[in-house]
Amino acid sequence: MATQSTEEYLEAIYKLGGEREPLAISVLAERLSVSSPSVSEMARKLAEQGLASYEPYKGVTLTAEGQARALAVIRRHRLWERFLTDTLGFSWDQVHDEACRLEHVTSPLVEERLAEFLETPQTCPHGHPMPTAQGKVTVEAARPLSALEPGQRGVVLWVPEEKVEMLQYLTALGLKPQATVQVEAVAPFQGPLTVRIGEAWHPLGWEVASQIMVRLL
Amino acid sequence: MATQSTEEYLEAIYKLGGEREPLAISVLAERLSVSSPSVSEMARKLAEQGLASYEPYKGVTLTAEGQARALAVIRRHRLWERFLTDTLGFSWDQVHDEACRLEHVTSPLVEERLAEFLETPQTCPHGHPMPTAQGKVTVEAARPLSALEPGQRGVVLWVPEEKVEMLQYLTALGLKPQATVQVEAVAPFQGPLTVRIGEAWHPLGWEVASQIMVRLL
DNA sequence: TTTTTATATTAGGCATACCTATTTTAACGA
DNA sequence: TCGTTAAAATAGGTATGCCTAATATAAAAA
């Protein structure tokens, strides 16, 4: 049985792209707020358990089994987020931390019943796609809002889920999944964008815009 | 912050009566399925943290703070049990183990919203009373079904929550909270009872009957 | 090619929460 | 009162998952 800590590593590796290509130890350490030696050690253990492949100095990559485990955890996380917002009435900036704990104590049976109760949601409240119970996930082709040219419009697909202050800011702007946003202007040198959401125009820092993923209209 | 393990000890001590009088180390060890030395050690730590008073060879008792913590955990446990049965449709024999894990990862905010969503339930599915958010609990005066004389009737108040097979057996008998049961006969020497539930008569082992708590009618 | 620098690993420790084996305590019966 | 016994304490050890400090590696710059 995978420990809570193991699940957190698998989830982080997956989200940082380690299901595709070797992920640097330092990147993982940064994300999990632990030291590099701790990550090295865990990488070795994940490899021992067949959940990751790991070559010293080369980084860590999930095996098929590791990916499946990671997606199961991510599915539980996103189901709980939906429950917390849709059923208990939490705002989308409150639910990530709660779900981070609930995801590790959820049996497959509770996962299944929860999904039924929520009527099989297709995304989390931040727009990220829901992996299926079979461990598949379909990620829609997306580009950052910052990549749009002036005059182009996009539909928001997803936003970062773990940044509380940014989520509160995006709430104020109305920048949530399904919202339509038009880029009116882009300042050079990765400068701020001017975007229109509904009838309102807003300046938007490039750094923020680069984290809002959209589908081009 | 109390660890998960700490919470489990507090909960077990409370349920075994250690909120009233010193509880023997061996009783706690048996309940938690750990060795006596492990319990001794944790008893000392609980005392250090001000959650229990502990005198070697005398047993362990919860302090006011320890009781409050224990009741908070028990409240979360019972709220999750209600959620799992009432909202997700689990049977009452499936929910204890799930709730045992969920109870340790539930913030006060989730606890509060969950209670609201469930419309402030007064008991768990097994009939045990719900502690309030303020850490108070009212336990109705009860006696075991085995203490009734032939001819006496009682209303089931609560049954053991953690014994899966017994709960399945009680389901078949219809012996659930609020059910009325009449004792028709009691065999001597702690022998089986004959009880009537609705129109049906059933033999009932004394050991089982002693764990069904009722209010005399 | 050699040196520098960033990154990662190894070495050695710590806290938690368990364990078994051994010793101590307390209570009870002879 | 003394010896026996059951319960609980201490002693010493393990695995997990962290840490810091020191060392090794690999990649980039000189």
Side-chain angles (χ1 to χ4, degrees), chain A:
Chain A
M1 181 55 192
T3 65
Q4 188 159 324
S5 195
T6 300
E7 288 189 346
E8 254 153 37
Y9 276 83
L10 292 175
E11 191 183 6
I13 294 169
Y14 188 96
K15 287 191 184 171
L16 292 170
E19 98 283 5
R20 286 174 273 105
E21 53 186 8
L23 179 66
I25 296 297
S26 56
V27 174
L28 196 45
E30 168 74 22
R31 168 71 159 244
L32 293 169
S33 301
V34 297
S35 68
S36 288
S38 297
V39 176
S40 278
E41 189 183 17
M42 183 60 94
R44 192 176 43 70
K45 283 185 188 169
L46 291 175
E48 269 173 21
Q49 295 174 263
L51 299 172
S53 62
Y54 167 57
E55 274 194 89
Y57 298 105
K58 293 269 176 63
V60 66
T61 317
L62 295 181
T63 60
E65 174 65 19
Q67 285 179 39
R69 298 279 196 94
L71 281 170
V73 176
I74 291 169
R75 174 174 163 83
R76 289 172 200 150
H77 181 100
R78 292 180 182 165
L79 285 172
W80 279 120
E81 284 191 339
R82 278 250 85 101
F83 170 74
L84 291 168
T85 54
D86 300 2
T87 308
L88 296 192
F90 283 92
S91 60
W92 73 344
D93 57 288
Q94 296 177 296
V95 299
H96 179 74
D97 290 352
E98 302 281 357
C100 273
R101 297 192 305 272
L102 289 164
E103 67 191 10
H104 303 297
V105 296
T106 307
S107 71
L109 205 52
V110 169
E111 174 192 319
E112 185 189 322
R113 296 283 179 96
L114 191 60
E116 278 170 31
F117 171 70
L118 296 168
E119 297 174 327
T120 320
Q122 296 304 303
T123 68
C124 81
H126 316 97
H128 296 269
M130 191 71 66
T132 66
Q134 291 71 44
K136 303 285 173 201
V137 69
T138 313
V139 181
E140 192 170 349
R143 67 189 72 190
L145 180 55
S146 57
L148 267 57
E149 304 287 327
Q152 289 187 315
R153 288 191 308 145
V155 172
V156 176
L157 290 175
W158 67 81
V159 302
E161 57 195 353
E162 75 283 3
K163 298 174 184 176
V164 175
E165 284 82 7
M166 188 186 292
L167 286 171
Q168 290 167 351
Y169 173 53
L170 296 180
T171 303
L173 294 180
L175 263 181
K176 59 190 177 199
Q178 309 303 331
T180 296
V181 55
Q182 168 136 0
V183 175
E184 300 293 348
V186 184
F189 307 115
Q190 305 196 340
L193 289 75
T194 304
V195 301
R196 187 161 60 78
I197 300 152
E199 295 310 308
W201 292 51
H202 301 281
L204 193 66
W206 189 88
E207 183 55 38
V208 172
S210 68
Q211 297 179 64
I212 313 292
M213 303 303 288
V214 303
R215 170 164 42 80
L216 192 62
L217 282 179

Side-chain angles (χ1 to χ4, degrees), chain B residues 6-46:
Chain B
T6 301
E7 288 188 346
E8 254 152 37
Y9 275 83
L10 293 175
E11 192 183 5
I13 294 169
Y14 188 97
K15 287 191 182 169
L16 292 170
E19 98 283 5
R20 285 175 274 106
E21 52 186 7
L23 178 67
I25 296 297
S26 55
V27 174
L28 196 45
E30 168 73 23
R31 169 70 159 245
L32 294 169
S33 301
V34 297
S35 67
S36 288
S38 297
V39 176
S40 279
E41 189 183 15
M42 183 60 95
R44 193 177 42 70
K45 282 185 190 168
L46 291 175

